[in-house]
Amino acid sequence: MKRLAKILGILMLSLLVVAGCSTGNGKKDDAATAKKTPEELTLYIVRHGKTMMNTTNRVQGWSDAVLTKAGEEVVTAAGVGLKDVEFQNVYSSDSGRAIQTANLIVKENEKSSDLKVITDERLREFNFGTYEGDLNHTMWQDIADDQGVTLEEFMKNMTPESFANSVAKLDAKNVEEAKINWPAEDYKTITTRLKAGIEDIVEKEMKNEGTGNVLITSHGLSISALLATLFDDYKIPEGGLKNASVCTVKYKDGKYTLDKVNDLSYIEAGQN
């Protein structure tokens, strides 16, 4: 009996040791694999690829068009260049061209291909009212004439603010057409919605577990307007932001930092 009790005691001790080791390893494994909420966000803000309306030089704000074949190819190249960046979430304007751009980038991403694009209408391009679908040259010339400058002077000195406010002013004169159309937005309306959209994204993603990398697809003028709102020293690049270019913005401790603007290196990396 004493021998049997000794054997049982040894067996019980062995079980306790094994159980203790298992529990300890489990905690270590959980700690190693558990994702944490980020201390810093990096926002990868991408302009959509070239569309059919871009190609025909038409005004494209809230109106929409699909990407051209060449536009898809450039966005895909950007996606290949970004393939090693693990995104914790993907956001897009609710315009088709921006959604298409986001999906093409996610498709190429080796670490984030299962993410679903979250759409937000606040990330839309400027609304140009009755100028939507018209020739860009017609709208630009009307603005130059209204400002009393040549077209060349307007294009050289154009800012998102002067552009939006001029279009809103001219659009308001088209009273009859305005009755059946969404009115052109002034700059305050545009920047208010854009900033609110970004702030909501930042607030959500700082609470989400993940890498801190967030992909956002939007539009040329809207991205520039957003950056001009967040950063006093931001200047729109000559010729505007390129299709599928990337602007990176850091967010930490309540502060935004502008990292890169109109970055084409991801496209170039994806093409090589």
Side-chain angles (χ1 to χ4, degrees):
M1 291 295 292
K2 289 183 178 179
R3 185 178 179 185
L4 178 61
K6 185 176 181 180
I7 291 171
L8 289 173
I10 293 171
L11 287 172
M12 289 296 294
L13 181 61
S14 298
L15 288 172
L16 287 171
V17 170
V18 170
C21 290
S22 176
T23 302
N25 287 340
K27 288 180 179 179
K28 289 179 181 178
D29 290 342
D30 289 344
T33 59
K35 289 186 177 181
K36 298 180 180 179
T37 55
E39 295 181 0
E40 179 182 56
L41 292 180
T42 300
L43 309 179
Y44 291 78
I45 307 175
V46 183
R47 187 192 173 194
H48 65 79
K50 192 171 187 179
T51 71
M52 295 178 73
M53 287 182 72
N54 291 149
T55 302
T56 56
N57 206 22
R58 295 277 174 177
V59 177
Q60 183 180 219
W62 284 15
S63 57
D64 202 17
V66 298
L67 304 189
T68 62
K69 181 181 179 181
E72 288 186 348
E73 290 173 352
V74 172
V75 170
T76 297
V80 173
L82 288 163
K83 66 184 176 65
D84 293 325
V85 179
E86 183 177 357
F87 297 111
Q88 67 181 43
N89 250 324
V90 181
Y91 294 84
S92 170
S93 152
D94 64 347
S95 296
R97 60 194 186 274
I99 298 172
Q100 190 179 359
T101 297
N103 281 324
L104 286 170
I105 292 174
V106 170
K107 181 180 178 181
E108 299 298 327
N109 196 283
E110 297 182 352
K111 300 179 180 180
S112 315
S113 59
D114 60 334
L115 291 177
K116 301 299 181 183
V117 177
I118 302 168
T119 60
D120 191 330
E121 65 181 18
R122 293 173 297 183
L123 300 176
R124 286 180 185 176
E125 182 60 289
F126 294 14
N127 177 21
F128 298 111
T130 50
Y131 283 104
E132 292 281 346
D134 203 343
L135 290 170
N136 279 313
H137 185 275
T138 300
M139 180 174 65
W140 297 338
Q141 188 63 64
D142 285 353
I143 295 172
D145 292 343
D146 183 67
Q147 294 182 356
V149 297
T150 65
L151 181 58
E152 290 72 21
E153 288 173 324
F154 160 69
M155 297 299 291
K156 182 179 180 180
N157 301 310
M158 188 272 288
T159 65
E161 183 172 8
S162 67
F163 193 4
N165 288 338
S166 291
V167 173
K169 176 186 174 183
L170 291 167
D171 181 64
K173 296 178 181 179
N174 299 324
V175 180
E176 291 304 315
E177 291 183 51
K179 289 180 181 178
I180 57 173
N181 202 0
W182 292 107
E185 300 172 289
D186 61 22
Y187 192 68
K188 183 178 180 180
T189 300
I190 294 165
T191 53
T192 297
R193 66 169 167 83
L194 286 169
K195 190 175 181 183
I198 288 297
E199 288 177 345
D200 281 354
I201 289 172
V202 166
E203 182 179 359
K204 290 175 184 176
E205 294 309 319
M206 286 298 290
K207 296 176 182 176
N208 282 339
E209 296 178 345
T211 60
N213 299 318
V214 180
L215 176 64
I216 300 171
T217 56
S218 186
H219 309 266
L221 282 170
S222 285
I223 295 172
S224 279
L226 174 64
L227 296 181
T229 302
L230 296 177
F231 308 105
D232 292 336
D233 57 348
Y234 172 78
K235 290 185 179 180
I236 187 170
E238 186 175 350
L241 297 175
K242 302 296 183 182
N243 291 108
S245 63
V246 181
C247 296
T248 45
V249 175
K250 306 280 188 179
Y251 177 86
K252 186 176 183 180
D253 298 330
K255 183 180 179 181
Y256 293 94
T257 304
L258 185 58
D259 183 27
K260 293 182 180 179
V261 174
N262 208 27
D263 185 1
L264 302 177
S265 64
Y266 296 105
I267 298 172
E268 294 164 358
Q271 290 173 334
N272 293 330

